[in-house]
Amino acid sequence: MMQFPKDLRRRVETFAAGPDGGRPPLPIDPRFWRSPLRSRRFTSILGLTLLVMLTLVIVCGLLSYASYNPRLAGNDPTGRHGLLGFYFFTWPTHPVWLYRLTQSTHVLLGLASIPFVLAKLWSVIPKLFELPPVRSPAQAIERISLLALVGGVTFEFVTGVMNIQLYYAFPFSFYTAHLYGAWIFLAGFVVHVAVKLPVAIRAVRRRGLDPDPEGDQAAAVHDPDGPDDLRAVEPAPATITRRGALIAVGGGSALLVGATLGQSFDGPLRRTALLAPHGQAYGNGPNDFPVNKTAAYRGITADATGAKWRLELRGTQRLSLDRAALLARPQSTHRLPIACVEGWSTEQEWTGIPLADLASMAGVTGKATVLVESLQKNGSFGKVRLAANQVADRRTLLALKVNGADLEPDHGFPARIIVPAGPGVHNTKWVTALTFVPEQA
Ligand SMILES: Nc1nc2c(c(=O)[nH]1)N[C@H]1C(S)=C(S)[C@@H](COP(=O)(O)O)O[C@H]1N2
Ligand SMILES: [Mo]
């Protein structure tokens, strides 16, 4: 401990003196970069780890977009998906935990990869200053792809983290920006993997995933693979092993996951979600589970949800029902999750009327989609169109109760939608009208 300030001073002096002793070093001079940790093997291990993590993050992210029923009129939060919708499919209603799993994975693995992304950027930063900047047309393309890769990953992580922290300080829509950003990132990612995967595999093939194999340090100063090497030409003395550095990165990643994971579970575990805004937010008693947007926030008044509230049913017939009339109908009860795009989720026991029964009451018996409208007049998620498979699944409810008690205002009183396996945004609260639209065969 006592040695540390002395050692630090020596290192600051050595640094300031520069490799030529006196001339301050510049980043374009390879001798500027002195960390003995940098090596192709070190970067390759980080890269291969990120390849696995980010592939899953990307797949689950694209699934999230597809789960919104973006092909049904009015649902696509970006307005128009165009060619980017090539992979859309009908999001299933089984298993009920499907979106809960894919979206927790998207958010948790996204957070987990932050320390790896930062470490990997650090490990290759000398290459940013390499001169000449371009040596061949192939390398020019690769460097342009890095712009999409690094710009894309930075943009996606910044917008993603801001969104899960409910910090909507963007001058643009999160959904639109995060989706388009994803495709720019993905383009860079694909090119980068195509170019670098063979290099990374070669780097780890010889001596496996051990970041500090014996004899490695001495052997590779003159690496036959030349321009891909990342070793310092004048390495400073090591203060940590590569293995130690990887453990630190992995530890940081585990810490982020550990402090967020609880948001995907009910019970005491939720309180461990220190980094998640919905780790602590609760209602009362049977309504004791997270709320995303409160009734007050959405401008829902007690007057509008009180005695004058009606559910308008529209199909081949029109009906107007009050809450008592709905409660008098046969009720179904199911345990179903709410899983928000922000990554938090909860499972509760909902009681209400299957949408399929409400469709029949409105005179619609075949395959039909439904337009759900709420009392909410402004802001997002006041309306949604559900697909025919969601209407047909008898577990899709217009819920009137949760855990045996009336819904609280913040949970959507007098009535809300609960859809199995779907994203949170499909579970419209404060429902006031259901319009069933038969599907053309
Ligand atoms: N009318 C309306 N319904 C809504 C929302 C909303 O803002 N307005 N938020 C949706 C979102 S994003 C989610 S994740 C769930 C959250 O449900 P909860 O707040 O009841 O837990 O409700 C959905 N239903
Ligand atoms: Mo949500």
Side-chain angles (χ1 to χ4, degrees):
M1 284 308 277
M2 295 305 287
Q3 294 293 71
F4 182 64
K6 221 199 266 167
D7 179 49
L8 186 67
R9 194 169 71 218
R10 185 176 54 74
R11 287 169 61 191
V12 168
E13 281 166 2
T14 322
F15 178 80
D20 293 340
R23 195 157 50 80
L26 287 174
I28 50 166
D29 185 333
R31 292 170 299 177
F32 176 87
W33 304 100
R34 303 198 58 202
S35 170
L37 290 184
R38 292 197 181 88
S39 76
R40 184 185 305 118
R41 173 186 295 276
F42 184 66
T43 296
S44 298
I45 293 170
L46 291 168
L48 292 169
T49 311
L50 279 171
L51 174 61
V52 175
M53 300 211 296
L54 292 182
T55 301
L56 272 165
V57 172
I58 292 165
V59 167
C60 290
L62 292 177
L63 285 178
S64 178
Y65 184 44
S67 76
Y68 275 50
N69 298 342
R71 287 179 298 187
L72 301 185
N75 275 358
D76 188 341
T78 69
R80 227 195 90 167
H81 40 75
L83 282 178
L84 299 184
F86 73 92
Y87 70 97
F88 288 168
F89 58 97
T90 302
W91 189 256
T93 56
H94 307 263
V96 295
W97 41 260
L98 182 63
Y99 188 80
R100 197 178 191 186
L101 178 74
T102 59
Q103 196 58 16
S104 307
T105 305
H106 180 71
V107 169
L108 286 175
L109 271 186
L111 287 173
S113 49
I114 292 175
F116 285 93
V117 168
L118 294 176
K120 185 158 187 281
L121 288 175
W122 173 85
S123 78
V124 297
I125 198 136
K127 299 193 100 15
L128 186 63
F129 296 93
E130 224 170 44
L131 289 178
V134 174
R135 286 187 308 269
S136 67
Q139 199 217 8
I141 293 171
E142 195 226 317
R143 294 204 90 166
I144 292 168
S145 80
L146 288 178
L147 222 61
L149 182 76
V150 178
V153 85
T154 307
F155 185 80
E156 290 302 276
F157 278 85
V158 169
T159 52
V161 169
M162 280 168 79
N163 189 258
I164 60 183
Q165 291 302 322
L166 316 181
Y167 188 67
Y168 305 106
F170 329 105
F172 42 75
S173 144
F174 165 77
Y175 297 87
T176 313
H178 200 66
L179 179 81
Y180 293 156
W183 281 102
I184 292 170
F185 163 64
L186 191 51
F189 186 72
V190 167
V191 174
H192 189 67
V193 171
V195 174
K196 293 296 187 188
L197 188 59
V199 180
I201 289 175
R202 243 183 290 133
V204 298
R205 182 177 280 159
R206 268 170 283 166
R207 274 166 291 188
L209 286 171
D210 184 350
D212 300 296
E214 225 167 301
D216 197 46
Q217 194 72 356
V221 180
H222 302 291
D223 196 294
D225 282 332
D228 274 320
D229 198 14
L230 290 156
R231 265 168 230 283
V233 285
E234 286 177 9
T239 51
I240 186 174
T241 60
R242 292 200 182 96
R243 189 171 304 129
L246 286 178
I247 289 170
V249 171
S253 173
L255 218 65
L256 284 176
V257 171
T260 311
L261 186 74
Q263 70 171 345
S264 305
F265 296 90
D266 292 306
L269 214 56
R270 187 174 302 277
R271 251 161 285 145
T272 67
L274 301 174
L275 294 181
H278 289 293
Q280 279 74 32
Y282 275 79
N284 300 309
N287 278 271
D288 180 15
F289 56 92
V291 168
N292 200 335
K293 294 288 186 286
T294 62
Y297 180 86
R298 288 304 197 198
I300 308 300
T301 60
D303 177 52
T305 56
K308 75 174 194 202
W309 177 84
R310 295 288 181 280
L311 174 72
E312 306 297 332
L313 279 184
R314 304 178 195 125
T316 57
Q317 277 140 236
R318 286 172 171 252
L319 280 85
S320 185
L321 302 156
D322 63 12
R323 208 177 122 93
L326 290 169
L327 283 167
R329 313 267 330 164
Q331 307 283 305
S332 296
T333 297
H334 295 289
R335 280 199 73 80
L336 294 171
I338 292 180
C340 183
V341 68
E342 292 149 9
W344 65 269
S345 57
T346 181
E347 190 182 86
Q348 305 296 332
E349 191 181 273
W350 306 95
T351 299
I353 308 177
L355 280 203
D357 290 351
L358 294 168
S360 312
M361 288 167 70
V364 176
T365 46
K367 283 182 130 201
T369 61
V370 65
L371 173 66
V372 179
E373 290 168 279
S374 71
L375 292 168
Q376 182 191 323
K377 290 292 155 267
N378 300 305
S380 315
F381 317 132
K383 270 184 198 187
V384 75
R385 219 176 272 272
L386 299 179
N389 67 317
Q390 294 173 312
V391 175
D393 191 312
R394 294 198 52 83
R395 295 166 305 171
T396 304
L397 301 177
L398 180 74
L400 305 167
K401 297 185 171 224
V402 62
N403 303 316
D406 285 343
L407 292 169
E408 275 185 359
D410 289 342
H411 287 301
F413 181 86
R416 80 174 300 167
I417 299 289
I418 291 292
V419 185
V425 295
H426 283 176
N427 303 317
T428 311
K429 305 195 273 191
W430 315 295
V431 173
T432 184
L434 297 172
T435 307
F436 295 94
V437 182
E439 249 191 358
Q440 268 83 352

